[in-house]
Amino acid sequence: MRSSATSYPEGSAAFPHRGLVGIAGLAPHEIMFLLDEAEQWVDLNRHAQKHRDLLSGLTIINAFFENSTRTLLSFEIAGKRLGADVVNMHAATSSVKKGETLLDTAATLNAMHADAIVIRHASSGAVQLIGDKVDCPVLNAGDGQHEHPTQALLDALTIRHAKRAFNGLRVVICGDILHSRVARSNILSLSSLGADIRVCAPPALMPVGIEAMNVAPFHNFDAAIAGADVVMMLRLQNERMQGDFIPSPREYRHLYGLTLDRLSLASPDALVMHPGPMNRGIEIDSNVADMVERSLITLQVEMGVAIRMACLDVLTRRARGVEGWA
Ligand code: NCD
């Protein structure tokens, strides 16, 4: 399934948003538009010569106030492949550690005339706050427990490469749903694309009222995984927990870990996903994570670069005066 199932309007009407703070507020055709835009970059990235001058002269700042490996690297590679000047700001060595407020940091970034700012922050809502204060587009690379829109887009692109259609696709998302911005953004995007979503977590890690997000909640993983087409596993977000949410990692693996035995309860061609970083032997066993024919985990990383190239291109079109976008 490479081409869009939905049609979208021409020019900026296809994606009329100034930035990308979340999947909430995006129409299904806007999500499909970004996925379709990413396909050209999937192709380019598979060639030896991967450089384009599309964003030449533009400055992109990656302001990461929280740790990251793949998201930061993939935004950096995406910006550089499109020819932009990319600068990474690491909070650990910045003035944030000297007590500067978020709004002062925003004003500083703005004064440097960035053309796009990519932000990761531990507080839900921080990206919107900065977005309201700066003149350029902001892209959310994960804000607290709120959203991680490019992760959901790369997950949708991965699913689209591996499966035929989103409509009626049975997806189970299992793990620390409560603290997961990945779960939240994926629920919003996959349900708006027509997937049938089950979420599974221990009672303490299931958000109250999650049914309102159009998902079926489960506490029993064996029941939740039955017949699933896609099994998406999540890490326990220990850094967002105060106190103990699970009895022990061993007990957690026993009840909620993706083992080979458990995967056999899913549909025979079920595919396995994980946003990373994985805690092998806790939420997922190595012999499942490394199954070449079933695991999409490295494909997810590959799709991440293409999706971020698409987002950076689309969101800077207005500033670049691209026809139909100015
Ligand atoms: C996720 C995140 O940071 O929210 N990782 C990622 O972006 N690939 C998930 C996680 O940290 O568990």
Side-chain angles (χ1 to χ4, degrees), residues 66-72 120 141-144 147-148 151 154 179-182 234-237 239-240 274-278 283 308:
E66 229 191 15
N67 292 342
S68 173
T69 305
R70 66 217 88 218
T71 306
L72 175 59
R120 168 167 286 199
D143 64 328
E147 280 227 42
H148 192 350
Q151 179 70 44
L154 77 87
H179 300 106
S180 177
R181 54 200 180 200
V182 174
L234 302 172
R235 184 178 64 90
L236 289 165
Q237 307 265 305
E239 71 277 22
R240 301 189 212 289
H274 194 305
M278 283 186 275
E283 76 270 13
R308 285 157 185 141

Side-chain angles (χ1 to χ4, degrees), residues 12-286:
S12 60
F15 198 83
H17 310 276
R18 206 178 140 247
L20 182 66
V21 175
I23 299 293
L26 299 189
H29 74 262
E30 293 167 0
I31 297 174
M32 293 305 269
F33 172 70
L34 292 177
L35 302 191
D36 287 350
E37 285 290 321
E39 295 293 359
Q40 63 191 301
W41 308 123
V42 174
D43 290 341
L44 180 78
N45 290 340
R46 289 178 178 174
H47 286 85
Q49 175 52 256
K50 306 180 234 318
H51 195 83
R52 286 286 180 278
D53 285 328
L54 215 57
L55 306 191
S56 152
L58 266 56
T59 304
I60 297 171
I61 300 180
N62 291 326
F64 276 56
F65 299 86
E66 229 191 15
N67 292 342
S68 173
T69 305
R70 66 217 88 218
T71 306
L72 175 59
L73 257 179
S74 119
F75 266 113
E76 182 174 358
I77 290 171
K80 286 183 171 163
R81 286 202 181 148
L82 292 177
D85 296 317
V86 182
V87 186
N88 294 337
M89 189 205 89
H90 299 281
T93 51
S94 72
S95 288
V96 175
K97 286 280 174 232
K98 299 182 185 173
E100 184 171 78
T101 67
L102 195 55
L103 291 181
D104 284 338
T105 305
T108 303
L109 296 176
N110 197 43
M112 292 180 182
H113 296 293
D115 299 288
I117 303 177
V118 181
I119 303 157
R120 168 167 286 199
H121 200 282
S123 303
S124 306
V127 176
Q128 182 71 58
L129 196 76
I130 296 180
D132 291 343
K133 296 287 166 200
V134 298
D135 300 317
C136 67
V138 297
L139 292 91
N140 184 358
D143 64 328
Q145 302 167 212
H146 176 227
E147 280 227 42
H148 192 350
T150 58
Q151 179 70 44
L153 292 168
L154 77 87
D155 287 338
L157 188 62
T158 304
I159 292 173
R160 191 165 86 161
H161 272 244
K163 293 276 180 190
R164 288 166 312 284
F166 294 106
N167 215 8
L169 193 76
R170 284 159 300 176
V171 180
V172 58
I173 307 176
C174 179
D176 182 358
I177 307 289
L178 181 66
H179 300 106
S180 177
R181 54 200 180 200
V182 174
R184 212 181 133 69
S185 291
N186 262 305
I187 290 169
L188 291 166
S189 88
L190 293 173
S191 72
S192 91
L193 297 176
D196 170 8
I197 304 171
R198 294 173 167 191
V199 290
C200 180
L205 293 174
M206 184 73 87
V208 175
I210 185 94
E211 299 84 352
M213 291 189 82
N214 200 18
V215 297
F218 285 76
H219 299 308
N220 181 318
F221 195 15
D222 291 345
I225 200 173
D229 299 308
V230 174
V231 185
M232 189 182 287
M233 300 305 296
L234 302 172
R235 184 178 64 90
L236 289 165
Q237 307 265 305
N238 293 307
E239 71 277 22
R240 301 189 212 289
M241 295 181 196
Q242 253 134 43
D244 290 336
F245 279 72
I246 57 160
S248 73
R250 208 162 145 255
E251 173 87 355
Y252 183 82
R253 175 185 177 271
H254 179 62
L255 293 173
Y256 296 100
L258 186 59
T259 59
L260 269 183
D261 278 352
R262 216 163 241 143
L263 185 60
S264 70
L265 304 173
S267 128
D269 57 355
L271 297 170
V272 175
M273 301 177 76
H274 194 305
M278 283 186 275
N279 287 145
R280 289 171 180 262
I282 301 181
E283 76 270 13
I284 189 164
D285 277 8
S286 277

